[in-house]
Amino acid sequence: MVVGVTTTTSPSTRSPVRATVRRTIDWRIRFAALSLVWGFSFLLIKVGTDGYAPFQVTLGRLVFGTAVLAAALAMKRERLPRGARTWAHLTVAALLLNALPFSLFAYAELTIPSTLAGICNATSPLWGMALSLVALSEDRPTRVRVAGLGLGFLGVLTVLGAWQGFTGVDPTGTALALLASLSYPIGWIYVRRALAGSGDSHLSLTGAQLLLATLQLAVVTPLFTSMPTRFPVVPLLAVVALGALGTGLAVLIQYGLVAEVGPTTAQMVTYFIPVIATAAGVALLGESLTWSTPVGAVIVLAGAALTQVRSRS
């Protein structure tokens, strides 16, 4: 999402191991389903925050997402990871990849449209490229990748209408959405360094990570929000769908895609998310759309794609 969304099986932390299990649904159908689920997540966040506080939306999302992962672990008869060191690293990963970005997007959408939040999410590869130049010595810059970085952020300025002085764009909400997008690559780099070779399956690590993120929000939410006096149905259903589908099921679909077709193909879902988020926001929520939004989004995605180009050795 979330590029997404999100977890130790996110696009930047995939396992190279390919599945040998026979699939009943073609991977292209599952790829399309994942794109739709994550693309609609920003609409669901917007609807959820119409009835509940941002922290409550995030907590509900994590509760239902964790429930789906727990069911998957039970069906596969897999255990949660063992070892205090692994759980300590997973606690940090849960904050950076789930609790923090999910909460930031929820707060951001109080003041910005879901379309803009979805486009901000697409900047994660750009942040990841910039950070990897500093944090990962093996990730050497190339002219193409640096050009992609510059092009991507030019696209962000286009989306925000920089030549108009950012008129009509809430700076706080936009900054929160961009910070959420920045949190993902920081988390991916941390996971890559701290949990590589842990010996646990990605499903096991992801389930533990979501559980820890849920506990983190369970502590924070009562401190900053009060118990709702009413429970509007539509926002509640949005939160349930956001958690069960946009978090839990999406992770399982991506887990299978990475194992079957590899990380490079699976991560292409990143480029469909803002397109779907924009279409959903305009069509279903009636959000306004100026020419600079789709044009800027295309520039962002082009830049993000260039940052993923690896030099041939």
Side-chain angles (χ1 to χ4, degrees):
M1 174 179 155
V2 196
V3 153
V5 176
T6 93
T7 62
T8 52
T9 54
S10 62
S12 294
T13 57
R14 306 171 188 82
S15 169
V17 179
R18 295 179 180 274
T20 57
V21 180
R22 183 179 177 182
R23 302 292 179 182
T24 57
I25 302 177
D26 186 84
W27 72 266
R28 297 171 187 84
I29 297 176
R30 286 179 281 128
F31 182 96
L34 182 60
S35 300
L36 286 171
V37 168
W38 271 344
F40 270 86
S41 291
F42 296 95
L43 179 148
L44 294 174
I45 292 172
K46 191 73 171 179
V47 175
T49 54
D50 283 342
Y52 303 95
F55 275 138
Q56 293 168 346
V57 171
T58 303
L59 176 58
R61 173 182 188 174
L62 288 168
V63 166
F64 290 106
T66 301
V68 171
L69 267 293
L73 285 167
M75 290 177 62
K76 292 179 178 291
R77 297 183 179 180
E78 288 196 28
R79 298 178 178 178
L80 291 174
R82 296 182 178 181
R85 180 178 177 276
T86 298
W87 281 89
H89 287 312
L90 284 173
T91 299
V92 178
L95 175 65
L96 294 174
L97 291 172
N98 302 113
L100 180 59
F102 290 0
S103 299
L104 287 174
F105 272 124
Y107 271 100
E109 291 198 40
L110 291 177
T111 56
I112 66 172
S114 64
T115 54
L116 179 55
I119 294 171
C120 287
N121 179 74
T123 64
S124 282
L126 304 177
W127 294 120
M129 160 66 181
L131 290 170
S132 68
L133 298 180
V134 177
L136 300 175
S137 58
E138 71 273 18
D139 227 354
R140 299 297 182 184
T142 64
R143 291 181 180 179
V144 172
R145 299 182 70 199
V146 171
L149 184 63
L151 183 64
F153 284 112
L154 176 62
V156 173
L157 294 177
T158 303
V159 171
L160 300 180
W163 63 92
Q164 299 175 339
F166 306 106
T167 303
V169 176
D170 179 71
T172 301
T174 304
L176 291 177
L178 290 173
L179 284 174
S181 302
L182 172 61
S183 182
Y184 288 127
I186 293 175
W188 295 332
I189 291 173
Y190 180 85
V191 166
R192 184 171 170 181
R193 288 189 162 188
L195 289 171
S198 67
D200 297 292
S201 72
H202 282 284
L203 180 60
S204 175
L205 291 172
T206 302
Q209 181 180 305
L210 282 182
L211 174 61
L212 288 167
T214 302
L215 294 176
Q216 290 169 358
L217 261 294
V219 172
V220 171
T221 301
L223 300 177
F224 294 94
T225 65
S226 56
M227 179 67 68
T229 56
R230 49 188 293 272
F231 295 88
V233 176
V234 174
L236 179 60
L237 292 176
V239 172
V240 173
L242 180 63
L245 301 179
T247 305
L249 180 62
V251 166
L252 293 177
I253 294 175
Q254 190 190 33
Y255 172 75
L257 284 174
V258 170
E260 184 174 352
V261 301
T264 301
T265 300
Q267 77 172 350
M268 294 300 293
V269 70
T270 302
Y271 307 115
F272 291 88
I273 293 173
V275 177
I276 295 170
T278 299
V282 172
L284 300 179
L285 296 181
E287 295 177 346
S288 60
L289 187 68
T290 61
W291 69 267
S292 60
T293 300
V295 170
V298 170
I299 297 174
V300 168
L301 294 177
L306 288 177
T307 64
Q308 303 306 303
V309 174
R310 297 292 188 268
S311 60
R312 296 180 180 179
S313 54

